[in-house]
Structures are given as structure tokens and as C-alpha cells.
PDB file of all heavy atoms in Angstrom:
ATOM      1  N   SER K   1       0.829  -1.208   0.000  1.00 96.00           N
ATOM      2  CA  SER K   1       0.000   0.000   0.000  1.00 96.00           C
ATOM      3  C   SER K   1       0.861   1.254   0.000  1.00 96.00           C
ATOM      4  O   SER K   1       1.713   1.422   0.873  1.00 96.00           O
ATOM      5  CB  SER K   1      -0.918   0.029   1.228  1.00 96.00           C
ATOM      6  OG  SER K   1      -1.604   1.265   1.306  1.00 96.00           O
ATOM      7  N   GLN K   2       0.604   2.123  -0.960  1.00 95.00           N
ATOM      8  CA  GLN K   2       1.319   3.388  -0.985  1.00 95.00           C
ATOM      9  C   GLN K   2       0.795   4.364   0.055  1.00 95.00           C
ATOM     10  O   GLN K   2       1.363   5.449   0.231  1.00 95.00           O
ATOM     11  CB  GLN K   2       1.255   4.013  -2.387  1.00 95.00           C
ATOM     12  CG  GLN K   2       1.982   3.163  -3.423  1.00 95.00           C
ATOM     13  CD  GLN K   2       2.489   3.975  -4.591  1.00 95.00           C
ATOM     14  OE1 GLN K   2       3.287   4.890  -4.431  1.00 95.00           O
ATOM     15  NE2 GLN K   2       2.018   3.651  -5.784  1.00 95.00           N
ATOM     16  N   LYS K   3      -0.269   3.981   0.756  1.00 97.00           N
ATOM     17  CA  LYS K   3      -0.731   4.785   1.881  1.00 97.00           C
ATOM     18  C   LYS K   3       0.240   4.682   3.062  1.00 97.00           C
ATOM     19  O   LYS K   3       0.207   5.506   3.978  1.00 97.00           O
ATOM     20  CB  LYS K   3      -2.117   4.309   2.347  1.00 97.00           C
ATOM     21  CG  LYS K   3      -3.241   4.561   1.352  1.00 97.00           C
ATOM     22  CD  LYS K   3      -3.580   6.040   1.276  1.00 97.00           C
ATOM     23  CE  LYS K   3      -4.806   6.266   0.407  1.00 97.00           C
ATOM     24  NZ  LYS K   3      -5.115   7.710   0.278  1.00 97.00           N
ATOM     25  N   ILE K   4       1.083   3.646   3.039  1.00 98.00           N
ATOM     26  CA  ILE K   4       2.010   3.407   4.143  1.00 98.00           C
ATOM     27  C   ILE K   4       3.398   3.913   3.775  1.00 98.00           C
ATOM     28  O   ILE K   4       3.957   3.527   2.755  1.00 98.00           O
ATOM     29  CB  ILE K   4       2.071   1.909   4.498  1.00 98.00           C
ATOM     30  CG1 ILE K   4       0.698   1.428   4.976  1.00 98.00           C
ATOM     31  CG2 ILE K   4       3.128   1.648   5.571  1.00 98.00           C
ATOM     32  CD1 ILE K   4       0.637  -0.046   5.282  1.00 98.00           C
ATOM     33  N   LYS K   5       3.952   4.764   4.609  1.00 97.00           N
ATOM     34  CA  LYS K   5       5.313   5.265   4.451  1.00 97.00           C
ATOM     35  C   LYS K   5       6.158   4.702   5.582  1.00 97.00           C
ATOM     36  O   LYS K   5       5.805   4.852   6.757  1.00 97.00           O
ATOM     37  CB  LYS K   5       5.327   6.798   4.491  1.00 97.00           C
ATOM     38  CG  LYS K   5       6.713   7.419   4.456  1.00 97.00           C
ATOM     39  CD  LYS K   5       7.436   7.142   3.160  1.00 97.00           C
ATOM     40  CE  LYS K   5       8.806   7.824   3.116  1.00 97.00           C
ATOM     41  NZ  LYS K   5       9.559   7.472   1.890  1.00 97.00           N
ATOM     42  N   VAL K   6       7.255   4.046   5.243  1.00 98.00           N
ATOM     43  CA  VAL K   6       8.098   3.364   6.221  1.00 98.00           C
ATOM     44  C   VAL K   6       9.463   4.028   6.321  1.00 98.00           C
ATOM     45  O   VAL K   6      10.079   4.370   5.306  1.00 98.00           O
ATOM     46  CB  VAL K   6       8.267   1.869   5.852  1.00 98.00           C
ATOM     47  CG1 VAL K   6       9.383   1.228   6.661  1.00 98.00           C
ATOM     48  CG2 VAL K   6       6.963   1.127   6.083  1.00 98.00           C
ATOM     49  N   TRP K   7       9.913   4.173   7.550  1.00 97.00           N
ATOM     50  CA  TRP K   7      11.282   4.605   7.837  1.00 97.00           C
ATOM     51  C   TRP K   7      11.925   3.593   8.766  1.00 97.00           C
ATOM     52  O   TRP K   7      11.382   3.294   9.842  1.00 97.00           O
ATOM     53  CB  TRP K   7      11.294   5.978   8.520  1.00 97.00           C
ATOM     54  CG  TRP K   7      10.993   7.108   7.591  1.00 97.00           C
ATOM     55  CD1 TRP K   7       9.769   7.593   7.250  1.00 97.00           C
ATOM     56  CD2 TRP K   7      11.954   7.875   6.861  1.00 97.00           C
ATOM     57  NE1 TRP K   7       9.908   8.622   6.352  1.00 97.00           N
ATOM     58  CE2 TRP K   7      11.225   8.827   6.101  1.00 97.00           C
ATOM     59  CE3 TRP K   7      13.354   7.874   6.782  1.00 97.00           C
ATOM     60  CZ2 TRP K   7      11.845   9.750   5.268  1.00 97.00           C
ATOM     61  CZ3 TRP K   7      13.970   8.793   5.958  1.00 97.00           C
ATOM     62  CH2 TRP K   7      13.225   9.717   5.212  1.00 97.00           C
ATOM     63  N   ILE K   8      13.048   3.029   8.335  1.00 98.00           N
ATOM     64  CA  ILE K   8      13.870   2.183   9.202  1.00 98.00           C
ATOM     65  C   ILE K   8      14.976   3.088   9.748  1.00 98.00           C
ATOM     66  O   ILE K   8      15.785   3.610   8.972  1.00 98.00           O
ATOM     67  CB  ILE K   8      14.472   0.984   8.444  1.00 98.00           C
ATOM     68  CG1 ILE K   8      13.389   0.253   7.628  1.00 98.00           C
ATOM     69  CG2 ILE K   8      15.193   0.052   9.404  1.00 98.00           C
ATOM     70  CD1 ILE K   8      12.260  -0.312   8.447  1.00 98.00           C
ATOM     71  N   VAL K   9      15.001   3.287  11.059  1.00 97.00           N
ATOM     72  CA  VAL K   9      15.873   4.299  11.659  1.00 97.00           C
ATOM     73  C   VAL K   9      16.828   3.658  12.668  1.00 97.00           C
ATOM     74  O   VAL K   9      16.379   3.028  13.637  1.00 97.00           O
ATOM     75  CB  VAL K   9      15.045   5.394  12.363  1.00 97.00           C
ATOM     76  CG1 VAL K   9      15.968   6.488  12.917  1.00 97.00           C
ATOM     77  CG2 VAL K   9      14.011   5.987  11.422  1.00 97.00           C
ATOM     78  N   ASP K  10      18.119   3.823  12.441  1.00 97.00           N
ATOM     79  CA  ASP K  10      19.124   3.378  13.406  1.00 97.00           C
ATOM     80  C   ASP K  10      19.281   4.482  14.444  1.00 97.00           C
ATOM     81  O   ASP K  10      19.837   5.550  14.163  1.00 97.00           O
ATOM     82  CB  ASP K  10      20.459   3.120  12.692  1.00 97.00           C
ATOM     83  CG  ASP K  10      21.516   2.527  13.620  1.00 97.00           C
ATOM     84  OD1 ASP K  10      21.383   2.668  14.852  1.00 97.00           O
ATOM     85  OD2 ASP K  10      22.488   1.940  13.108  1.00 97.00           O
ATOM     86  N   VAL K  11      18.798   4.233  15.662  1.00 96.00           N
ATOM     87  CA  VAL K  11      18.818   5.282  16.681  1.00 96.00           C
ATOM     88  C   VAL K  11      20.228   5.557  17.190  1.00 96.00           C
ATOM     89  O   VAL K  11      20.451   6.552  17.872  1.00 96.00           O
ATOM     90  CB  VAL K  11      17.880   4.932  17.862  1.00 96.00           C
ATOM     91  CG1 VAL K  11      16.435   4.948  17.407  1.00 96.00           C
ATOM     92  CG2 VAL K  11      18.248   3.592  18.482  1.00 96.00           C
ATOM     93  N   GLY K  12      21.177   4.688  16.833  1.00 95.00           N
ATOM     94  CA  GLY K  12      22.567   5.000  17.151  1.00 95.00           C
ATOM     95  C   GLY K  12      23.047   6.216  16.382  1.00 95.00           C
ATOM     96  O   GLY K  12      23.886   6.992  16.862  1.00 95.00           O
ATOM     97  N   HIS K  13      22.521   6.404  15.174  1.00 95.00           N
ATOM     98  CA  HIS K  13      22.849   7.566  14.356  1.00 95.00           C
ATOM     99  C   HIS K  13      21.873   8.724  14.568  1.00 95.00           C
ATOM    100  O   HIS K  13      22.205   9.879  14.274  1.00 95.00           O
ATOM    101  CB  HIS K  13      22.857   7.186  12.870  1.00 95.00           C
ATOM    102  CG  HIS K  13      23.993   6.299  12.471  1.00 95.00           C
ATOM    103  ND1 HIS K  13      25.295   6.744  12.380  1.00 95.00           N
ATOM    104  CD2 HIS K  13      24.027   4.982  12.153  1.00 95.00           C
ATOM    105  CE1 HIS K  13      26.081   5.749  12.006  1.00 95.00           C
ATOM    106  NE2 HIS K  13      25.334   4.661  11.857  1.00 95.00           N
ATOM    107  N   PHE K  14      20.666   8.402  15.041  1.00 95.00           N
ATOM    108  CA  PHE K  14      19.643   9.431  15.214  1.00 95.00           C
ATOM    109  C   PHE K  14      19.060   9.365  16.632  1.00 95.00           C
ATOM    110  O   PHE K  14      17.890   9.014  16.817  1.00 95.00           O
ATOM    111  CB  PHE K  14      18.533   9.252  14.172  1.00 95.00           C
ATOM    112  CG  PHE K  14      18.999   9.393  12.754  1.00 95.00           C
ATOM    113  CD1 PHE K  14      19.381   8.274  12.022  1.00 95.00           C
ATOM    114  CD2 PHE K  14      19.071  10.643  12.151  1.00 95.00           C
ATOM    115  CE1 PHE K  14      19.822   8.399  10.710  1.00 95.00           C
ATOM    116  CE2 PHE K  14      19.509  10.780  10.847  1.00 95.00           C
ATOM    117  CZ  PHE K  14      19.888   9.663  10.126  1.00 95.00           C
ATOM    118  N   PRO K  15      19.854   9.699  17.634  1.00 94.00           N
ATOM    119  CA  PRO K  15      19.365   9.606  19.022  1.00 94.00           C
ATOM    120  C   PRO K  15      18.176  10.528  19.295  1.00 94.00           C
ATOM    121  O   PRO K  15      17.368  10.244  20.182  1.00 94.00           O
ATOM    122  CB  PRO K  15      20.587  10.009  19.858  1.00 94.00           C
ATOM    123  CG  PRO K  15      21.484  10.761  18.918  1.00 94.00           C
ATOM    124  CD  PRO K  15      21.258  10.143  17.576  1.00 94.00           C
ATOM    125  N   HIS K  16      18.056  11.613  18.530  1.00 94.00           N
ATOM    126  CA  HIS K  16      16.925  12.518  18.768  1.00 94.00           C
ATOM    127  C   HIS K  16      15.589  11.856  18.421  1.00 94.00           C
ATOM    128  O   HIS K  16      14.556  12.215  18.996  1.00 94.00           O
ATOM    129  CB  HIS K  16      17.094  13.820  17.965  1.00 94.00           C
ATOM    130  CG  HIS K  16      16.985  13.665  16.491  1.00 94.00           C
ATOM    131  ND1 HIS K  16      17.994  13.105  15.716  1.00 94.00           N
ATOM    132  CD2 HIS K  16      15.970  13.969  15.620  1.00 94.00           C
ATOM    133  CE1 HIS K  16      17.609  13.099  14.452  1.00 94.00           C
ATOM    134  NE2 HIS K  16      16.395  13.613  14.366  1.00 94.00           N
ATOM    135  N   ILE K  17      15.620  10.880  17.509  1.00 95.00           N
ATOM    136  CA  ILE K  17      14.385  10.145  17.185  1.00 95.00           C
ATOM    137  C   ILE K  17      14.012   9.233  18.355  1.00 95.00           C
ATOM    138  O   ILE K  17      12.840   9.119  18.726  1.00 95.00           O
ATOM    139  CB  ILE K  17      14.557   9.331  15.893  1.00 95.00           C
ATOM    140  CG1 ILE K  17      14.875  10.252  14.714  1.00 95.00           C
ATOM    141  CG2 ILE K  17      13.306   8.501  15.608  1.00 95.00           C
ATOM    142  CD1 ILE K  17      13.775  11.236  14.375  1.00 95.00           C
ATOM    143  N   ARG K  18      15.011   8.593  18.942  1.00 94.00           N
ATOM    144  CA  ARG K  18      14.750   7.760  20.134  1.00 94.00           C
ATOM    145  C   ARG K  18      14.182   8.621  21.261  1.00 94.00           C
ATOM    146  O   ARG K  18      13.212   8.241  21.927  1.00 94.00           O
ATOM    147  CB  ARG K  18      16.048   7.088  20.593  1.00 94.00           C
ATOM    148  CG  ARG K  18      15.865   6.199  21.837  1.00 94.00           C
ATOM    149  CD  ARG K  18      17.187   5.681  22.357  1.00 94.00           C
ATOM    150  NE  ARG K  18      18.039   6.775  22.799  1.00 94.00           N
ATOM    151  CZ  ARG K  18      19.289   6.967  22.377  1.00 94.00           C
ATOM    152  NH1 ARG K  18      19.833   6.138  21.512  1.00 94.00           N
ATOM    153  NH2 ARG K  18      19.998   7.984  22.829  1.00 94.00           N
ATOM    154  N   GLU K  19      14.772   9.793  21.474  1.00 94.00           N
ATOM    155  CA  GLU K  19      14.309  10.679  22.543  1.00 94.00           C
ATOM    156  C   GLU K  19      12.904  11.208  22.258  1.00 94.00           C
ATOM    157  O   GLU K  19      12.075  11.330  23.170  1.00 94.00           O
ATOM    158  CB  GLU K  19      15.298  11.834  22.719  1.00 94.00           C
ATOM    159  CG  GLU K  19      16.655  11.380  23.257  1.00 94.00           C
ATOM    160  CD  GLU K  19      17.746  12.413  23.050  1.00 94.00           C
ATOM    161  OE1 GLU K  19      17.423  13.548  22.636  1.00 94.00           O
ATOM    162  OE2 GLU K  19      18.924  12.087  23.316  1.00 94.00           O
ATOM    163  N   LYS K  20      12.632  11.515  21.000  1.00 93.00           N
ATOM    164  CA  LYS K  20      11.310  12.020  20.628  1.00 93.00           C
ATOM    165  C   LYS K  20      10.220  11.033  21.013  1.00 93.00           C
ATOM    166  O   LYS K  20       9.157  11.422  21.534  1.00 93.00           O
ATOM    167  CB  LYS K  20      11.266  12.271  19.114  1.00 93.00           C
ATOM    168  CG  LYS K  20       9.873  12.593  18.583  1.00 93.00           C
ATOM    169  CD  LYS K  20       9.854  12.607  17.058  1.00 93.00           C
ATOM    170  CE  LYS K  20       8.435  12.756  16.518  1.00 93.00           C
ATOM    171  NZ  LYS K  20       8.388  12.671  15.040  1.00 93.00           N
ATOM    172  N   HIS K  21      10.477   9.744  20.767  1.00 93.00           N
ATOM    173  CA  HIS K  21       9.472   8.718  21.054  1.00 93.00           C
ATOM    174  C   HIS K  21       9.643   8.096  22.438  1.00 93.00           C
ATOM    175  O   HIS K  21       8.890   7.189  22.796  1.00 93.00           O
ATOM    176  CB  HIS K  21       9.534   7.625  19.988  1.00 93.00           C
ATOM    177  CG  HIS K  21       9.171   8.099  18.613  1.00 93.00           C
ATOM    178  ND1 HIS K  21       7.941   8.648  18.327  1.00 93.00           N
ATOM    179  CD2 HIS K  21       9.882   8.130  17.444  1.00 93.00           C
ATOM    180  CE1 HIS K  21       7.894   8.988  17.045  1.00 93.00           C
ATOM    181  NE2 HIS K  21       9.057   8.680  16.491  1.00 93.00           N
ATOM    182  N   ARG K  22      10.645   8.549  23.177  1.00 91.00           N
ATOM    183  CA  ARG K  22      10.936   8.016  24.520  1.00 91.00           C
ATOM    184  C   ARG K  22      11.118   6.497  24.462  1.00 91.00           C
ATOM    185  O   ARG K  22      10.653   5.762  25.350  1.00 91.00           O
ATOM    186  CB  ARG K  22       9.818   8.392  25.503  1.00 91.00           C
ATOM    187  CG  ARG K  22       9.553   9.897  25.606  1.00 91.00           C
ATOM    188  CD  ARG K  22       8.371  10.179  26.527  1.00 91.00           C
ATOM    189  NE  ARG K  22       8.092  11.597  26.648  1.00 91.00           N
ATOM    190  CZ  ARG K  22       7.227  12.269  25.900  1.00 91.00           C
ATOM    191  NH1 ARG K  22       6.564  11.626  24.941  1.00 91.00           N
ATOM    192  NH2 ARG K  22       7.015  13.546  26.075  1.00 91.00           N
ATOM    193  N   ALA K  23      11.767   6.037  23.406  1.00 93.00           N
ATOM    194  CA  ALA K  23      11.964   4.591  23.199  1.00 93.00           C
ATOM    195  C   ALA K  23      13.150   4.106  24.014  1.00 93.00           C
ATOM    196  O   ALA K  23      14.210   4.731  24.013  1.00 93.00           O
ATOM    197  CB  ALA K  23      12.187   4.298  21.730  1.00 93.00           C
ATOM    198  N   SER K  24      12.976   2.979  24.696  1.00 90.00           N
ATOM    199  CA  SER K  24      14.046   2.434  25.529  1.00 90.00           C
ATOM    200  C   SER K  24      14.498   1.052  25.082  1.00 90.00           C
ATOM    201  O   SER K  24      15.458   0.511  25.628  1.00 90.00           O
ATOM    202  CB  SER K  24      13.588   2.372  26.994  1.00 90.00           C
ATOM    203  OG  SER K  24      12.418   1.586  27.125  1.00 90.00           O
ATOM    204  N   SER K  25      13.816   0.471  24.097  1.00 93.00           N
ATOM    205  CA  SER K  25      14.162  -0.869  23.617  1.00 93.00           C
ATOM    206  C   SER K  25      14.109  -0.907  22.104  1.00 93.00           C
ATOM    207  O   SER K  25      13.441  -0.092  21.471  1.00 93.00           O
ATOM    208  CB  SER K  25      13.197  -1.919  24.180  1.00 93.00           C
ATOM    209  OG  SER K  25      13.210  -1.929  25.585  1.00 93.00           O
ATOM    210  N   ALA K  26      14.846  -1.874  21.535  1.00 96.00           N
ATOM    211  CA  ALA K  26      14.822  -2.079  20.088  1.00 96.00           C
ATOM    212  C   ALA K  26      14.413  -3.527  19.808  1.00 96.00           C
ATOM    213  O   ALA K  26      14.825  -4.435  20.525  1.00 96.00           O
ATOM    214  CB  ALA K  26      16.188  -1.784  19.486  1.00 96.00           C
ATOM    215  N   PRO K  27      13.589  -3.722  18.767  1.00 97.00           N
ATOM    216  CA  PRO K  27      12.980  -2.659  17.957  1.00 97.00           C
ATOM    217  C   PRO K  27      11.788  -2.028  18.649  1.00 97.00           C
ATOM    218  O   PRO K  27      11.054  -2.695  19.377  1.00 97.00           O
ATOM    219  CB  PRO K  27      12.530  -3.409  16.697  1.00 97.00           C
ATOM    220  CG  PRO K  27      12.191  -4.786  17.208  1.00 97.00           C
ATOM    221  CD  PRO K  27      13.194  -5.077  18.294  1.00 97.00           C
ATOM    222  N   THR K  28      11.603  -0.746  18.418  1.00 97.00           N
ATOM    223  CA  THR K  28      10.359  -0.066  18.775  1.00 97.00           C
ATOM    224  C   THR K  28       9.733   0.409  17.476  1.00 97.00           C
ATOM    225  O   THR K  28      10.376   1.125  16.704  1.00 97.00           O
ATOM    226  CB  THR K  28      10.614   1.121  19.713  1.00 97.00           C
ATOM    227  OG1 THR K  28      11.072   0.652  20.988  1.00 97.00           O
ATOM    228  CG2 THR K  28       9.326   1.926  19.917  1.00 97.00           C
ATOM    229  N   THR K  29       8.516  -0.011  17.232  1.00 98.00           N
ATOM    230  CA  THR K  29       7.806   0.362  16.004  1.00 98.00           C
ATOM    231  C   THR K  29       6.749   1.402  16.347  1.00 98.00           C
ATOM    232  O   THR K  29       5.886   1.159  17.193  1.00 98.00           O
ATOM    233  CB  THR K  29       7.159  -0.873  15.357  1.00 98.00           C
ATOM    234  OG1 THR K  29       8.170  -1.849  15.093  1.00 98.00           O
ATOM    235  CG2 THR K  29       6.465  -0.508  14.056  1.00 98.00           C
ATOM    236  N   VAL K  30       6.840   2.554  15.705  1.00 98.00           N
ATOM    237  CA  VAL K  30       5.948   3.679  15.996  1.00 98.00           C
ATOM    238  C   VAL K  30       5.019   3.889  14.799  1.00 98.00           C
ATOM    239  O   VAL K  30       5.483   4.047  13.671  1.00 98.00           O
ATOM    240  CB  VAL K  30       6.756   4.960  16.270  1.00 98.00           C
ATOM    241  CG1 VAL K  30       5.818   6.109  16.639  1.00 98.00           C
ATOM    242  CG2 VAL K  30       7.788   4.729  17.377  1.00 98.00           C
ATOM    243  N   ILE K  31       3.719   3.901  15.062  1.00 98.00           N
ATOM    244  CA  ILE K  31       2.724   4.078  14.004  1.00 98.00           C
ATOM    245  C   ILE K  31       2.014   5.415  14.198  1.00 98.00           C
ATOM    246  O   ILE K  31       1.417   5.654  15.253  1.00 98.00           O
ATOM    247  CB  ILE K  31       1.687   2.940  14.008  1.00 98.00           C
ATOM    248  CG1 ILE K  31       2.383   1.573  13.901  1.00 98.00           C
ATOM    249  CG2 ILE K  31       0.677   3.117  12.871  1.00 98.00           C
ATOM    250  CD1 ILE K  31       1.450   0.387  14.073  1.00 98.00           C
ATOM    251  N   ASN K  32       2.125   6.269  13.189  1.00 97.00           N
ATOM    252  CA  ASN K  32       1.470   7.583  13.213  1.00 97.00           C
ATOM    253  C   ASN K  32       1.784   8.372  14.477  1.00 97.00           C
ATOM    254  O   ASN K  32       0.941   9.094  15.009  1.00 97.00           O
ATOM    255  CB  ASN K  32      -0.037   7.452  13.025  1.00 97.00           C
ATOM    256  CG  ASN K  32      -0.415   7.296  11.560  1.00 97.00           C
ATOM    257  OD1 ASN K  32       0.446   7.138  10.697  1.00 97.00           O
ATOM    258  ND2 ASN K  32      -1.700   7.320  11.276  1.00 97.00           N
ATOM    259  N   ASP K  33       3.000   8.209  14.960  1.00 95.00           N
ATOM    260  CA  ASP K  33       3.490   8.989  16.096  1.00 95.00           C
ATOM    261  C   ASP K  33       2.674   8.766  17.368  1.00 95.00           C
ATOM    262  O   ASP K  33       2.664   9.615  18.262  1.00 95.00           O
ATOM    263  CB  ASP K  33       3.504  10.486  15.738  1.00 95.00           C
ATOM    264  CG  ASP K  33       4.449  11.283  16.633  1.00 95.00           C
ATOM    265  OD1 ASP K  33       5.383  10.680  17.190  1.00 95.00           O
ATOM    266  OD2 ASP K  33       4.245  12.507  16.779  1.00 95.00           O
ATOM    267  N   ARG K  34       1.975   7.607  17.462  1.00 94.00           N
ATOM    268  CA  ARG K  34       1.232   7.357  18.693  1.00 94.00           C
ATOM    269  C   ARG K  34       1.318   5.912  19.157  1.00 94.00           C
ATOM    270  O   ARG K  34       1.698   5.661  20.302  1.00 94.00           O
ATOM    271  CB  ARG K  34      -0.226   7.798  18.582  1.00 94.00           C
ATOM    272  CG  ARG K  34      -1.009   7.330  17.391  1.00 94.00           C
ATOM    273  CD  ARG K  34      -2.492   7.756  17.501  1.00 94.00           C
ATOM    274  NE  ARG K  34      -2.627   9.175  17.796  1.00 94.00           N
ATOM    275  CZ  ARG K  34      -3.761   9.747  18.194  1.00 94.00           C
ATOM    276  NH1 ARG K  34      -4.843   9.010  18.356  1.00 94.00           N
ATOM    277  NH2 ARG K  34      -3.826  11.038  18.431  1.00 94.00           N
ATOM    278  N   VAL K  35       0.997   4.935  18.314  1.00 97.00           N
ATOM    279  CA  VAL K  35       1.165   3.536  18.716  1.00 97.00           C
ATOM    280  C   VAL K  35       2.648   3.215  18.808  1.00 97.00           C
ATOM    281  O   VAL K  35       3.434   3.577  17.940  1.00 97.00           O
ATOM    282  CB  VAL K  35       0.500   2.587  17.701  1.00 97.00           C
ATOM    283  CG1 VAL K  35       0.918   1.143  17.949  1.00 97.00           C
ATOM    284  CG2 VAL K  35      -1.016   2.716  17.761  1.00 97.00           C
ATOM    285  N   GLN K  36       3.032   2.515  19.875  1.00 97.00           N
ATOM    286  CA  GLN K  36       4.408   2.050  20.013  1.00 97.00           C
ATOM    287  C   GLN K  36       4.396   0.561  20.335  1.00 97.00           C
ATOM    288  O   GLN K  36       3.790   0.141  21.313  1.00 97.00           O
ATOM    289  CB  GLN K  36       5.152   2.826  21.096  1.00 97.00           C
ATOM    290  CG  GLN K  36       5.442   4.262  20.722  1.00 97.00           C
ATOM    291  CD  GLN K  36       6.382   4.956  21.696  1.00 97.00           C
ATOM    292  OE1 GLN K  36       6.986   4.321  22.547  1.00 97.00           O
ATOM    293  NE2 GLN K  36       6.500   6.254  21.565  1.00 97.00           N
ATOM    294  N   ILE K  37       5.068  -0.209  19.498  1.00 97.00           N
ATOM    295  CA  ILE K  37       5.173  -1.658  19.679  1.00 97.00           C
ATOM    296  C   ILE K  37       6.617  -1.980  20.003  1.00 97.00           C
ATOM    297  O   ILE K  37       7.529  -1.642  19.245  1.00 97.00           O
ATOM    298  CB  ILE K  37       4.761  -2.406  18.399  1.00 97.00           C
ATOM    299  CG1 ILE K  37       3.358  -1.998  17.954  1.00 97.00           C
ATOM    300  CG2 ILE K  37       4.855  -3.912  18.598  1.00 97.00           C
ATOM    301  CD1 ILE K  37       3.028  -2.414  16.527  1.00 97.00           C
ATOM    302  N   VAL K  38       6.840  -2.623  21.127  1.00 96.00           N
ATOM    303  CA  VAL K  38       8.191  -3.017  21.522  1.00 96.00           C
ATOM    304  C   VAL K  38       8.379  -4.489  21.197  1.00 96.00           C
ATOM    305  O   VAL K  38       7.570  -5.330  21.581  1.00 96.00           O
ATOM    306  CB  VAL K  38       8.428  -2.757  23.021  1.00 96.00           C
ATOM    307  CG1 VAL K  38       9.800  -3.263  23.442  1.00 96.00           C
ATOM    308  CG2 VAL K  38       8.310  -1.268  23.328  1.00 96.00           C
TER     309      VAL K  38
END
């Protein structure tokens, strides 16, 4: 589905993304900036 946009993000290179989502474990999957799946 082209309705879905995916980003695979290495938080070692982008720590601000980890901080934005308050993620403490990998993988953490974030959907629409609200659902978080660990």
C-alpha cells in the first residue's frame, strides 16, 4: 500500500528520534506517532 510510508531508523545515528518517542528498547515500532510496539 502506498498509503504506508516506512522509515527504518538506526537510533545510534539518530538519538533525537529515540528521545522524541521516549523509546528504551529495540525494535520499537511507531505508528502515526502514537502507537508504540516493543
